[in-house]
Amino acid sequence: KGILVIPIMMALLSLGGSTFGMSEEIIALYPVVISLMFVLRFDSMTAVLILFLGTQAGYIGATISPFSVTLAQAIAEIPGNPLLGLRTVAWAVFTGLAIAYTMWYARRVRRDPGFSPVAASDQALREIFAVGSDEHPGFYGRDRFILAAFILTLAVISWGLLVHGWYMAEIAAAFLALGFIAGIAAGMSPSAMAEHFVEGLKEFVYAAFVIGLARGILVIAEAGMIVDPLLDVLSQWLAGMPTWAFTTLVLLANNIITFFVPSSSGEAALTMPVLAPLADLVGVHRDSLVLAYQFGNGLTNLISPTNGLLLAGLAITRIRFSQWFRVILPWFLFAWPVAAVLTAVSTTV
């Protein structure tokens, strides 16, 4: 019944992405989920689909995310959340599609390991995580304590994000505290804990470096004034069109802009001041543009080589971007028309 891990985890991750904007938090979960997937006879690509596609499906169908929906609505001067009902439907649709696709892929890999495009690289990854070793010491009280501490840490982080506005510094402190608790429970000396910490950190240094490079692309685009002329041209193209064509082209425009500005909050700050007045000219509610923006940003970040969070996950799992692109492209091509239909429907609500 290990396949049931996929819908349970993805539904929770998607809910986090939809509500409090869960995204960077998943980086710390990769080692756990990779190990679990190997034990269940899946592959590392399944782990990326669960973690990244799971949270990204929630971002695409965001309902009250402060980093996309709330911010964009504030910039566009939209009171309340008039399309919350449609957003909830969109969240359910995209989450269901993501879960169905991941379960189909995982079943194919379990039935035929040769179907996996990462079968070769997973051999080395299995050695890193000691999966397949015959040395299984059992599951004792201290293991249960560490697992309970891990679950409690996730609950504390969720509480801090929702109630106290925690972000990366507080989340990092919580995981660091969890590391100390786990080390003490495992009977490690301070030196052993430090050595294990450095050993584990090696898996994330490259990912952090890649995130910095991806961020550099946005810095160049802004400093070189590349984004503003792009928005000006798009605004001229989109004016005076039928409502369904207008929302569809806004969706496509946000797909393009996301390549230059992967950040949902950064894209909202750049596009909403320009596109929101256009909605008034065409006779479309401004929140329809916010919907198109969140769909465009979330979908493009699934396939964009400038998305640092995606590249970080691929770096940890040793998966090449081309391998990920081939796996996720069919889902993207199916989900994009669904997004276009939902944005068109939003103009009639």
Side-chain angles (χ1 to χ4, degrees):
K1 299 179 181 179
I3 193 72
L4 296 180
V5 168
I6 294 174
I8 294 172
M9 288 190 67
M10 292 188 74
L12 293 173
L13 291 167
S14 178
L15 186 62
S18 176
T19 53
F20 65 86
M22 184 178 188
S23 56
E24 290 91 348
E25 297 87 344
I26 65 171
I27 293 177
L29 303 180
Y30 270 99
V32 178
V33 178
I34 291 170
S35 299
L36 180 59
M37 292 302 104
F38 284 160
V39 170
L40 295 175
R41 294 187 291 117
F42 302 134
D43 64 354
S44 59
M45 185 69 77
T46 307
V48 181
L49 286 170
I50 289 174
L51 289 171
F52 184 68
L53 180 58
T55 51
Q56 204 63 28
Y59 244 88
I60 297 169
T63 52
I64 56 173
S65 171
F67 304 112
S68 55
V69 176
T70 304
L71 177 62
Q73 288 175 334
I75 295 172
E77 300 178 350
I78 300 170
N81 195 336
L83 292 179
L84 180 59
L86 184 60
R87 284 193 170 89
T88 304
V89 172
W91 173 80
V93 169
F94 287 117
T95 302
L97 291 174
I99 291 173
Y101 184 74
T102 304
M103 292 180 71
W104 169 83
Y105 174 86
R107 284 197 176 100
R108 285 290 304 270
V109 169
R110 175 185 276 180
R111 190 165 56 245
D112 178 16
F115 176 76
S116 171
V118 296
S121 59
D122 274 359
Q123 293 301 320
L125 209 58
R126 287 174 184 274
E127 294 179 7
I128 293 174
F129 291 100
V131 177
S133 171
D134 293 331
E135 300 178 5
H136 294 296
F139 192 65
Y140 301 115
R142 66 183 183 184
D143 302 303
R144 294 185 177 90
F145 175 80
I146 293 171
L147 183 60
F150 175 73
I151 295 171
L152 179 61
T153 301
L154 294 182
V156 169
I157 289 173
S158 300
W159 168 77
L161 286 166
L162 292 171
V163 178
H164 295 289
W166 285 9
Y167 199 48
M168 299 311 296
E170 293 84 358
I171 293 170
F175 277 117
L176 185 63
L178 172 63
F180 280 119
I181 293 171
I184 294 170
M188 292 183 183
S189 66
S191 296
M193 280 192 278
E195 290 171 1
H196 279 284
F197 178 79
V198 172
E199 186 68 25
L201 196 63
K202 291 194 300 186
E203 302 300 319
F204 295 93
V205 170
Y206 176 64
F209 183 71
V210 168
I211 290 175
L213 287 177
R215 173 68 181 174
I217 295 173
L218 174 58
V219 173
I220 293 172
E222 290 179 340
M225 298 183 180
I226 297 171
V227 177
D228 291 332
L230 177 64
L231 291 175
D232 181 63
V233 171
L234 289 173
S235 66
Q236 295 178 33
W237 286 353
L238 296 173
M241 289 187 170
T243 55
W244 65 268
F246 178 71
T247 55
T248 302
L249 286 176
V250 169
L251 171 62
L252 182 59
N254 280 283
N255 288 139
I256 297 170
I257 293 168
T258 303
F259 275 102
F260 300 94
V261 188
S263 167
S264 58
S265 55
E267 185 173 345
L270 284 169
T271 60
M272 285 301 115
V274 177
L275 296 179
L278 286 177
D280 300 333
L281 294 175
V282 179
V284 173
H285 194 284
R286 291 187 173 193
D287 207 19
S288 294
L289 292 197
V290 175
L291 197 69
Y293 135 78
Q294 72 183 69
F295 289 166
N297 179 269
L299 285 168
T300 299
N301 274 327
L302 287 171
I303 59 170
S304 174
T306 61
N307 183 4
L309 182 62
L310 169 61
L311 298 183
L314 297 182
I316 295 169
T317 53
R318 312 292 203 277
I319 295 175
R320 296 194 304 272
F321 180 81
S322 59
Q323 293 172 323
W324 163 258
F325 187 81
R326 288 196 298 271
V327 170
I328 198 62
L329 184 61
W331 192 89
F332 175 88
L333 294 176
F334 185 82
W336 195 93
V338 174
V341 170
L342 287 170
T343 52
V345 170
S346 71
T347 63
T348 63
V349 175

